[in-house]
Amino acid sequence: MHNKGNQIDVIIVGAGLSGLAAARTLRKNGKTVTVLEAQSRVGGRILSTSIKGSIFDLGAQWVSPHQHRIQTLIKEFGLTTTSTYKEGTSLYALLGKKKRGLGKKPPFSRLSLLDITSIEYAVKNLLENIEPTKPWESPLGQKLDSLTMETWLKKKMFTKYGKAFYRQVYEEGLCGRLSEVSVLDLIWSIKSTGSFDQYLSAEEEWITNGAQEIPNRIAEELGDTVLLDSKVLRIDWDDTEVKVYTEQGVWFSKKVILAIPPTLTNRIVYHPPLPSSRDQLCQRVWQGSVIKCVMVYETPFWRIRGESGIAFHDDGPVKATIDSSNPSRTEGILIAFVTGEEARRLGELSKEERKMEVLNCISYLFGHEGLNPKGYFDKDWSADPWARGGYAGHFPPGVLSQFGQALTKPIGPIHWAGSETATEWRLYMEGALEAGERAALEVIRKLT
Amino acid sequence: MHNKGNQIDVIIVGAGLSGLAAARTLRKNGKTVTVLEAQSRVGGRILSTSIKGSIFDLGAQWVSPHQHRIQTLIKEFGLTTTSTYKEGTSLYALLGKKKRGLGKKPPFSRLSLLDITSIEYAVKNLLENIEPTKPWESPLGQKLDSLTMETWLKKKMFTKYGKAFYRQVYEEGLCGRLSEVSVLDLIWSIKSTGSFDQYLSAEEEWITNGAQEIPNRIAEELGDTVLLDSKVLRIDWDDTEVKVYTEQGVWFSKKVILAIPPTLTNRIVYHPPLPSSRDQLCQRVWQGSVIKCVMVYETPFWRIRGESGIAFHDDGPVKATIDSSNPSRTEGILIAFVTGEEARRLGELSKEERKMEVLNCISYLFGHEGLNPKGYFDKDWSADPWARGGYAGHFPPGVLSQFGQALTKPIGPIHWAGSETATEWRLYMEGALEAGERAALEVIRKLT
């Protein structure tokens, strides 16, 4: 199978949100596209599922009211959002002790609180002084890129509890260790959300109908230009043409957009080979380890006890939990994240053993009612060959400052999308949209 | 093409030194092997070439008298070594100034010398306290893995000149930045050489006939079990059988040994996919950027002036030079290494521009005679799709302590070789041999 006689404008590799956004933008501008997706479904790191009418997300889920692209799509497609439940006390299971606190009044000592306020102040100060698109170009950016978050945290914080809290929050966010990223990796991500307050709004609401609705609706619009089960094996390119090889045949186009995580772009064969700056960048950007678990209970039993369902935990497999119950239904839904080394350990257990470990941990956090959900689902993103980790790609020290420019720099007819290449809301669904649109616009400028 | 009716014991992917050593060990133990090599030649990161009878190496070259495996092969194959020329003064072109010094009397101030002695003392102290095979398992190993070399150097050294010298030496060795690796990455490498003194002996001699002779001779012995131009695309595996797919067909075996750099192992498709600990390890181990340049002059003109031909340079493309003239011939051969960002920059220039930049830098270091070699050759290892960098793979902070065990841990019938997996002389040719033999012995134990 091939389209030689009928060359299209742009082939897009990957029908995640970013690839679909690129395809949509290109079509709106009169360009012909083909989207090649390796899996039998669209959505990439978005994956909704349902049980008896209850819909929930095993992948990306939360949105911020400040994310205008995704909010526009939500409205356009007639979807709704639910505000994240935050009533009542949250659990802080840190340093072997279980404490409770209200969202705005966490159970910290005055000294820990001072410590946390001061690190937030330091973060805000850095945010004001770095540039959002190429932060590695300034001397400050270079300096921040030479330090690990681990070294920085140890230098900046002085209370045991404050450090434990910050470590828990950021390591869960990275799905890795603080020693694995530079300070610039974190600061650039926060900067891309617009402000520290907007960054804190990232989990303020979730798409009630399941996030999967968004890629599904875009794919519906795109119709038969989206080809499933089409693994891209090889890309031959020169200044005038691209040949994209799948197991089914060869596809010809003028340009190609790769909308897949950086580490996966290196698993395609290129003729001629890509320049070393691009190849070596992708040898260094890592995806984290994460298993997202969903527990469906008869009722949100924690709410009755005045608990929010939010937990921070620095021991055992579950590192964080959050309530995701649909207010129009009676069942209670709790989401748990197993990240980092624990995700890799649980990933090698049987389904049943893994479930038991997660439920035991939930029971430690929320009491014995946690042990018997009527439904349990999980998704190991690190094991998924088309994601190979989550939530997103991160940069070890020394990488952004040397290779940052290679992240989006086109190579001949090859352009790069995916949430990792975004400069607004990097690593979020909003970032996937922004990156897809940006890559599409790059290509449109070249084609016209 | 396939061998279904005639299953062999072990398929080896990669005919670099490690894969060839594995094949040799397996055959000596009565096992049947097939070596699949992507390129049209054997040797991997070893590559000798010649001009008018003068042989030189564009890849791995130097050996230590303490490397017993490679020394045994050198004797067995009737090859000879040449001692590295170290007579006369060496150049220290650091911090914008060009100084000369004798090997044992570098042109450092007393304070810089004290600084360098004290960092060497610190390194030796760490060497005594870490374990050579799984150094990440001790609390010290975990601690060293959380720090970058950059942070450590800044903390431990106090003179500008001392720091500049150490940075130059180690960044040239890494072909990357000090901020890109953990202290454990460096200490483990040194530890694997046996001692700090043995580490310093790594470039004491070179194989006069060209290092390529070693893989060539082993490949000759192995005869038609080595298949060139056989790119491995996919490996299907279970507990009893391995199917290895190349463009030419499918190969069946009981076990497979992958003797290629970690980052390249992720570019093969596996069914079922590899566990995330292995995949994510290989998302994080990076190869450095390096162009090795060889200049052939009528005479070793630097020697006449009392210079060794050794230079340390922290600016401009050439970071280090070394004399590699054959004492039985009249011409002078100078080797130059362009590493890190400069290697990537020069890699994107034309052949001619690149040559001019290198020769200009040689002329700055050694005078105008350097401008006109009768022969100039170079090899950009980062651009080579079957190496994608050199000298070898390195570990950012947080990687060895979480993923170190995955480096050699077999996955079903899949075993791992390559210099990066060695515990003796890691990252050297000797390490490639050790790793190949170790992987072969693992497989032999399982097969009998």
Side-chain angles (χ1 to χ4, degrees):
Chain A
M1 187 164 52
H2 63 81
N3 67 333
K4 178 63 185 170
N6 184 21
Q7 196 201 48
I8 43 179
D9 291 323
V10 190
I11 288 171
I12 292 148
V13 180
L17 198 50
S18 202
L20 293 169
R24 197 178 201 235
T25 306
L26 286 161
R27 290 247 294 196
K28 281 193 176 160
N29 284 273
K31 304 300 170 200
T32 52
V33 300
T34 293
V35 184
L36 299 174
E37 167 56 46
Q39 302 191 73
S40 311
R41 63 173 191 86
V42 299
R45 282 171 275 175
I46 296 171
L47 175 62
S48 306
T49 185
S50 68
I51 177 174
K52 294 179 190 164
S54 184
I55 300 164
F56 44 82
D57 277 298
L58 289 171
Q61 173 172 2
W62 288 271
V63 296
S64 156
H66 301 286
Q67 296 172 337
H68 70 90
R69 289 177 187 82
I70 197 130
Q71 292 290 353
T72 303
L73 288 176
I74 288 169
K75 281 194 198 73
E76 197 178 327
F77 294 142
L79 307 174
T80 58
T81 59
T82 300
S83 294
T84 303
Y85 189 81
K86 289 178 185 166
E87 308 293 310
T89 57
S90 298
L91 274 169
Y92 297 78
L94 304 170
L95 300 174
K97 277 183 200 151
K98 221 163 68 176
K99 298 181 184 182
R100 286 187 169 77
L102 285 165
K104 282 176 186 167
K105 213 186 160 194
F108 302 155
S109 70
R110 279 199 186 177
L111 216 55
S112 303
L113 212 55
L114 182 67
D115 200 18
I116 287 168
T117 309
S118 100
I119 189 95
E120 279 187 7
Y121 181 82
V123 167
K124 285 178 188 169
N125 187 43
L126 293 177
L127 288 176
E128 275 171 30
N129 291 292
I130 69 156
E131 187 273 334
T133 59
K134 294 175 181 175
W136 50 83
E137 285 184 351
S138 70
L140 176 64
Q142 291 271 336
K143 192 183 154 202
L144 296 179
D145 196 47
S146 77
L147 280 178
T148 68
M149 274 299 295
E150 176 75 31
T151 296
W152 197 68
L153 196 83
K154 278 191 179 143
K155 198 172 139 191
K156 290 279 172 185
M157 296 189 82
F158 60 94
T159 65
K160 228 175 140 180
Y161 202 83
K163 277 188 212 174
F165 177 65
Y166 248 63
R167 179 182 303 282
Q168 192 285 327
V169 167
Y170 286 110
E171 293 200 334
E172 185 268 310
L174 290 170
C175 303
R177 284 195 188 168
L178 289 182
S179 58
E180 289 189 81
V181 293
S182 75
V183 181
L184 190 60
D185 173 86
L186 179 78
I187 297 295
W188 189 31
S189 287
I190 301 180
K191 180 78 179 181
S192 77
T193 67
S195 68
F196 195 75
D197 286 343
Q198 292 200 19
Y199 167 67
L200 295 181
S201 77
E203 279 89 39
E204 228 161 73
E205 43 190 63
W206 45 278
I207 301 165
T208 322
N209 326 62
Q212 182 85 44
E213 278 296 302
I214 309 245
N216 284 358
R217 297 288 184 94
I218 303 178
E220 257 172 52
E221 272 183 25
L222 293 169
D224 57 12
T225 63
V226 180
L227 301 179
L228 302 177
D229 300 307
S230 300
K231 300 173 182 61
V232 170
L233 305 172
R234 174 174 156 169
I235 296 176
D236 291 1
W237 59 280
D238 60 27
D239 286 343
T240 60
E241 194 176 57
V242 181
K243 289 184 211 172
V244 180
Y245 295 75
T246 66
E247 281 171 4
Q248 290 81 31
V250 191
W251 299 89
F252 296 80
S253 65
K254 291 174 191 154
K255 306 281 174 196
V256 62
I257 295 174
L258 276 91
I260 57 179
T263 196
L264 298 186
T265 65
N266 263 10
R267 302 184 190 192
I268 292 170
V269 177
Y270 302 85
H271 283 268
L274 299 185
S276 48
S277 54
R278 172 73 205 184
D279 190 282
Q280 293 203 346
L281 165 74
C282 300
Q283 291 179 22
R284 289 157 165 85
V285 186
W286 54 269
Q287 306 296 119
S289 299
V290 57
I291 302 173
K292 187 175 179 184
C293 312
V294 179
M295 276 80 59
V296 184
Y297 297 96
E298 292 293 346
T299 57
F301 61 86
W302 53 91
R303 291 192 186 183
I304 297 155
R305 274 197 248 123
E307 292 183 40
S308 66
I310 295 170
F312 305 91
H313 188 208
D314 64 0
D315 193 19
V318 173
K319 300 299 181 196
T321 63
I322 188 164
D323 178 330
S324 183
S325 318
N326 185 331
S328 70
R329 299 178 59 95
T330 53
E331 69 260 19
I333 293 187
L334 206 57
I335 308 282
F337 292 100
V338 178
T339 64
E341 288 174 285
E342 287 292 287
R344 293 189 295 276
R345 185 176 68 79
L346 263 60
E348 300 194 9
L349 302 182
S350 71
K351 273 257 167 198
E352 200 50 38
E353 286 170 320
R354 184 199 297 177
K355 177 178 166 184
M356 277 319 299
E357 286 227 23
V358 170
L359 294 180
N360 280 334
C361 197
I362 294 295
S363 145
Y364 165 74
L365 293 167
F366 294 102
H368 68 277
E369 298 100 312
L371 276 178
N372 295 301
K374 60 176 189 174
Y376 171 90
F377 304 84
D378 65 28
K379 167 79 181 168
D380 180 355
W381 287 96
S382 358
D384 184 326
W386 305 109
R388 270 312 185 185
Y391 309 116
H394 288 278
F395 300 96
V399 177
L400 278 173
S401 50
Q402 294 184 89
F403 299 91
Q405 52 85 26
L407 199 56
T408 53
K409 191 184 172 188
I411 294 164
I414 307 174
H415 293 248
W416 311 100
S419 190
E420 280 80 6
T421 71
T423 52
E424 290 179 30
W425 289 95
R426 289 176 51 67
L427 317 183
Y428 293 92
M429 288 188 279
E430 178 76 2
L433 294 171
E434 188 259 341
E437 289 171 15
R438 188 256 315 138
L441 294 174
E442 282 170 11
V443 168
I444 290 164
R445 270 196 300 276
K446 282 196 188 173
L447 285 177
T448 43
Chain B
M1 186 162 55
H2 64 81
N3 67 334
K4 178 63 185 170
N6 184 21
Q7 195 202 48
I8 43 179
D9 291 324
V10 189
I11 287 170
I12 292 148
V13 180
L17 198 49
S18 202
L20 293 170
R24 196 178 202 234
T25 306
L26 285 162
R27 289 247 294 197
K28 282 193 177 161
N29 285 273
K31 304 300 170 199
T32 53
V33 301
T34 293
V35 184
L36 300 173
E37 167 55 46
Q39 303 191 74
S40 311
R41 62 173 191 85
V42 300
R45 281 171 275 175
I46 296 171
L47 175 62
S48 306
T49 185
S50 67
I51 178 173
K52 295 178 188 163
S54 184
I55 300 164
F56 44 81
D57 276 298
L58 290 170
Q61 174 172 0
W62 289 272
V63 296
S64 158
H66 301 287
Q67 295 172 338
H68 70 89
R69 289 178 188 83
I70 198 130
Q71 293 290 354
T72 302
L73 288 176
I74 288 169
K75 282 195 197 73
E76 195 178 328
F77 295 142
L79 308 174
T80 58
T81 59
T82 301
S83 294
T84 303
Y85 189 81
K86 288 178 185 166
E87 308 294 309
T89 56
S90 298
L91 274 169
Y92 297 78
L94 304 170
L95 299 174
K97 279 183 200 151
K98 221 162 69 176
K99 298 181 184 181
R100 285 187 169 78
L102 286 165
K104 283 177 186 164
K105 211 184 159 197
F108 301 156
S109 69
R110 279 199 185 175
L111 216 55
S112 303
L113 212 54
L114 182 68
D115 202 16
I116 287 168
T117 310
S118 99
I119 189 94
E120 280 187 7
Y121 181 82
V123 167
K124 285 177 188 169
N125 186 42
L126 293 177
L127 288 176
E128 277 172 29
N129 290 291
I130 69 156
E131 187 273 334
T133 58
K134 293 177 181 171
W136 50 83
E137 284 184 351
S138 69
L140 175 65
Q142 290 271 335
K143 191 183 156 203
L144 296 178
D145 196 48
S146 77
L147 280 178
T148 67
M149 273 299 295
E150 177 73 32
T151 296
W152 197 68
L153 197 83
K154 279 191 178 142
K155 198 172 138 190
K156 290 279 171 184
M157 296 189 82
F158 60 93
T159 67
K160 231 176 137 178
Y161 201 84
K163 276 186 213 175
F165 176 66
Y166 247 64
R167 180 183 302 283
Q168 192 285 326
V169 168
Y170 285 110
E171 292 200 337
E172 185 268 310
L174 288 171
C175 303
R177 284 194 187 170
L178 289 183
S179 59
E180 289 189 81
V181 291
S182 75
V183 181
L184 190 60
D185 173 86
L186 179 79
I187 298 294
W188 189 32
S189 288
I190 302 180
K191 180 77 180 183
S192 77
T193 68
S195 68
F196 195 75
D197 286 343
Q198 293 201 16
Y199 167 68
L200 295 181
S201 77
E203 279 90 38
E204 229 160 72
E205 44 190 62
W206 46 278
I207 302 164
T208 322
N209 326 62
Q212 182 85 45
E213 279 296 302
I214 309 245
N216 284 359
R217 298 287 184 94
I218 303 178
E220 258 172 51
E221 272 184 23
L222 293 170
D224 58 10
T225 62
V226 180
L227 302 178
L228 301 177
D229 299 307
S230 300
K231 301 172 180 61
V232 170
L233 305 172
R234 174 174 157 169
I235 297 175
D236 291 0
W237 58 280
D238 60 26
D239 286 342
T240 58
E241 193 177 54
V242 181
K243 290 184 211 172
V244 179
Y245 295 76
T246 67
E247 281 171 4
Q248 290 81 32
V250 191
W251 298 88
F252 296 79
S253 65
K254 291 175 191 154
K255 307 281 174 195
V256 62
I257 294 174
L258 276 91
I260 57 178
T263 196
L264 298 186
T265 64
N266 263 9
R267 301 183 191 193
I268 292 170
V269 176
Y270 301 86
H271 283 266
L274 300 185
S276 47
S277 54
R278 172 75 206 184
D279 190 281
Q280 293 203 344
L281 164 74
C282 300
Q283 291 178 23
R284 289 158 166 84
V285 186
W286 55 269
Q287 306 295 119
S289 299
V290 57
I291 303 174
K292 186 175 180 184
C293 312
V294 179
M295 277 79 60
V296 184
Y297 298 95
E298 294 292 346
T299 57
F301 61 85
W302 52 92
R303 292 191 186 183
I304 297 154
R305 273 195 250 123
E307 292 183 39
S308 66
I310 294 171
F312 306 91
H313 188 208
D314 64 359
D315 194 18
V318 174
K319 301 299 179 197
T321 63
I322 188 163
D323 178 330
S324 183
S325 317
N326 185 331
S328 69
R329 298 180 58 94
T330 54
E331 70 259 21
I333 292 187
L334 206 57
I335 307 280
F337 292 100
V338 178
T339 63
E341 287 174 286
E342 286 293 288
R344 293 189 295 275
R345 185 175 68 78
L346 263 60
E348 300 195 9
L349 302 180
S350 73
K351 274 255 167 199
E352 201 49 38
E353 287 170 321
R354 186 198 296 178
K355 178 180 167 183
M356 278 315 302
E357 286 227 23
V358 170
L359 294 181
N360 280 333
C361 198
I362 293 295
S363 146
Y364 165 74
L365 293 168
F366 294 101
H368 67 278
E369 299 100 312
L371 275 178
N372 295 301
K374 60 176 189 173
Y376 172 89
F377 304 83
D378 66 25
K379 167 77 181 170
D380 181 354
W381 286 96
S382 358
D384 184 326
W386 305 110
R388 272 310 187 186
Y391 310 116
H394 287 280
F395 300 95
V399 177
L400 278 173
S401 50
Q402 294 184 88
F403 299 92
Q405 52 84 26
L407 199 56
T408 52
K409 190 184 173 188
I411 294 164
I414 307 173
H415 292 249
W416 311 101
S419 190
E420 281 80 5
T421 70
T423 52
E424 289 179 30
W425 288 95
R426 286 176 52 65
L427 318 182
Y428 294 91
M429 289 189 277
E430 178 76 3
L433 294 171
E434 187 260 338
E437 289 171 15
R438 188 256 314 138
L441 294 176
E442 282 170 11
V443 168
I444 290 164
R445 269 196 300 275
K446 280 196 189 174
L447 285 177
T448 44

